[in-house]
Amino acid sequence: MSSHRLPGHPFVAYRNSTLHIENVALDALIADHGTPLFVYSKASMLSALAAYQRGLAGRNVQICYAMKANSTLGVLQVFVQAGCGFDIVSGGELDRVLAAGGDAQKVIFSGVGKTTAEMRQALAAGIGCFNVESEAELAVLSSVAVSAGLCANVSIRVNPNVDPKTHPYISTGLKDNKFGVAHEDALRIYQYAASLEGLRVTGIDCHIGSQITDSTPYLDAMDRVLDLVDAIEASGIALQHIDFGGGLGINYHQDTPPEADMLWQQLLAKVDARGHGGKKLMIEPGRSLVGNAGVCVTEVLYLKPGEHKNFCIIDAAMNDLPRPAMYQAFHTIVPLTANPAREAPTLYDVVGPVCESGDWIGRDRKLSVHAGEYLAVLSAGAYCTSMASNYNTRGRAAEVLVDDADARLIRRRETSQDQMRQEILA
Ligand SMILES: *Cc1c(COP(=O)(O)O)cnc(C)c1O
């Protein structure tokens, strides 16, 4: 049996010319589940997690999967079973963690716009820590906690003002974006937090961006955060943990992000050299745990030749795979069946059926395909189904979790009835 692995996707390979995830042939899933279909490799998620676990071995560490990357219950279960905590950004995400069997004490709550209802919900559930992003939020959280007769553990998200050199929409640690508090204000805001009755200051937090493929911004951010740790502790406020966020990139297309274990070796050397190696470490990886664990299988509906462009129209669209429309992101697109005897490939824009010119999935791709055949969009595990919408009244795609040779449906395809359920005829 011939086997051909795809670089950067260790659990996706052609075997006898058919694309497999682990030991499941993707074409075999189409008859049961239809397309577009998201398929995830459990082994890929666990192997990505293992790289962090190796890098942080022997440390007091809590890995909190940033579940906005992919919040499907069956995916959350993989991380619950692996002992992870969760980084949440809404009350809805907390409901999902609990529905998946997650431990509320291992939940940290990030985000600039938590409502008082979400604060009450999270306090009642007994989450581990709130990552607070402004002075105003500190005051509100304190009063919510006091009126509930509880005390909220907080860490403050500081903005280290380093450029992660990623897309501007996923860069979060620069001065002029909405996240965190400015480095120069942090000490004063920590003192304010420590004065509030309903709060217990436990840590410090930062998160500088997403799809970061260079270790330099991380190393710079760690220095900036440790400067603040020193200053805050010198002012008499003890910190128990350092939360260093997420953001590590994956290989979409010729990207070469550092390996999580190598990156953490470098970061820990800094933490140790500056005398903070005894502190608890928290991290919030999202994309790097799930991004390359998923593919989206889609059918070629029509080929439409044009004067300047040829279009390959598929049954997946921007409502299923929003990243190209949102960030001009690149996803590798490959045929489900490799056929080297085919005619020479043609250059296509691969587009979906949604009525928007922005509905493209890949531009200028060389493909040798026919209508009725299938393609796989790679790196579809992160920020795809969790960002999916019903635009054009398209139902959300079905999702399958693969574990070795076992393939399990973890989300049924959404029907029109599902979509209309909350609506009321006037
Ligand atoms: C989105 C987010 C993460 C995860 O980012 P990835 O790039 O997916 O690793 C972590 N922490 C916070 C606060 C976030 O908003």
Side-chain angles (χ1 to χ4, degrees):
M1 188 153 95
S2 75
S3 179
H4 162 57
R5 288 195 179 285
L6 299 174
H9 303 268
F11 298 90
V12 184
Y14 285 103
R15 283 196 229 143
N16 288 339
S17 302
T18 302
L19 201 63
H20 283 63
I21 279 204
E22 300 192 35
N23 286 316
V24 171
L26 289 172
D27 57 3
L29 298 174
I30 296 170
D32 286 345
H33 304 297
T35 56
L37 179 68
F38 284 84
V39 187
Y40 307 117
S41 157
K42 180 176 175 180
S44 175
M45 296 181 207
L46 293 179
S47 123
L49 177 64
Y52 283 100
Q53 290 166 328
R54 277 195 305 278
L56 292 155
R59 304 289 174 144
N60 179 6
V61 57
Q62 183 176 312
I63 300 177
C64 292
Y65 166 52
M67 62 180 282
K68 73 177 190 287
N70 187 320
S71 53
T72 303
L73 294 179
V75 170
L76 300 186
Q77 262 182 312
V78 171
F79 293 105
V80 167
Q81 285 159 11
C84 289
F86 295 89
D87 175 47
I88 65 168
V89 291
S90 73
E93 287 196 342
L94 178 55
D95 288 335
R96 283 185 174 273
V97 169
L98 299 177
D103 179 356
Q105 284 179 28
K106 291 188 194 166
V107 167
I108 50 184
F109 193 170
S110 301
V112 294
K114 302 174 193 79
T115 65
T116 53
E118 287 174 320
M119 291 171 177
R120 272 194 298 277
Q121 177 195 356
L123 281 166
I127 69 158
C129 191
F130 289 81
N131 285 342
V132 176
E133 306 221 13
S134 63
E135 268 179 285
E137 186 191 338
L138 283 172
V140 171
L141 179 59
S142 174
S143 67
V144 169
V146 168
S147 65
L150 295 165
C151 193
N153 291 334
V154 298
S155 71
I156 295 173
R157 177 166 173 183
V158 299
N159 202 328
N161 199 25
V162 300
D163 185 355
K165 302 185 181 77
T166 183
H167 188 282
Y169 281 11
I170 48 178
S171 163
T172 57
L174 281 164
K175 255 192 173 143
D176 292 336
N177 64 49
K178 68 179 179 180
F179 299 102
V181 306
H183 189 91
E184 52 274 25
D185 298 333
L187 183 56
R188 179 179 57 75
I189 295 176
Y190 262 92
Q191 284 163 338
Y192 174 60
S195 77
L196 292 173
E197 188 188 346
L199 308 183
R200 185 185 304 114
V201 175
T202 58
I204 189 166
D205 163 52
C206 85
H207 171 72
I208 57 174
S210 200
Q211 186 52 19
I212 300 168
T213 54
D214 179 4
S215 35
T216 314
Y218 274 116
L219 293 165
D220 292 347
M222 183 59 95
D223 274 326
R224 304 271 293 162
V225 167
L226 292 173
D227 290 345
L228 281 177
V229 171
D230 289 339
I232 292 161
E233 294 205 314
S235 84
I237 301 168
L239 298 177
Q240 276 124 51
H241 78 257
I242 299 173
D243 177 345
F244 205 54
L248 184 58
I250 61 170
N251 177 30
Y252 284 102
H253 177 60
Q254 296 171 357
D255 302 304
T256 52
E259 301 286 336
D261 47 353
M262 297 302 159
L263 175 65
W264 273 98
Q265 255 178 33
Q266 287 179 288
L267 287 169
L268 287 173
K270 257 190 202 303
V271 177
D272 288 343
R274 298 194 48 178
H276 295 294
K279 287 198 163 57
K280 179 173 183 176
L281 287 164
M282 314 241 260
I283 55 169
E284 307 165 351
R287 184 192 314 270
S288 53
L289 294 181
V290 293
N292 275 343
V295 309
C296 176
V297 180
T298 174
E299 183 181 349
V300 176
L301 300 175
Y302 302 102
L303 297 178
K304 184 174 174 181
E307 197 180 335
H308 300 292
K309 286 229 175 239
N310 302 306
F311 293 99
C312 170
I313 302 168
I314 59 175
D315 69 352
M318 63 187 287
N319 73 298
D320 306 295
L321 293 158
R323 298 186 63 260
M326 271 189 81
Y327 318 110
Q328 291 80 48
F330 186 101
H331 285 270
T332 299
I333 302 172
V334 298
L336 218 59
T337 307
N339 188 345
R342 273 291 171 81
E343 67 272 20
T346 305
L347 210 56
Y348 288 105
D349 273 11
V350 179
V351 302
V354 163
C355 303
E356 294 280 343
S357 296
D359 181 26
W360 56 275
I361 305 299
R363 285 186 164 145
D364 296 325
R365 302 304 174 84
K366 274 190 188 158
L367 293 167
S368 167
V369 281
H370 302 152
E373 295 178 343
Y374 295 92
L375 298 173
V377 181
L378 304 187
S379 309
Y383 301 106
C384 291
T385 57
S386 60
M387 279 186 158
S389 78
N390 290 125
Y391 190 37
N392 283 206
T393 306
R394 291 170 51 87
R396 284 178 173 74
E399 294 171 73
V400 165
L401 180 67
V402 165
D403 180 6
D404 191 20
D406 181 54
R408 205 156 291 205
L409 185 68
I410 56 170
R411 183 197 292 267
R412 276 190 288 276
R413 185 172 305 285
E414 195 175 27
T415 65
S416 304
Q417 295 311 317
D418 292 334
Q419 289 185 58
M420 292 187 281
R421 190 154 292 143
Q422 308 306 328
E423 298 175 39
I424 300 157
L425 283 168

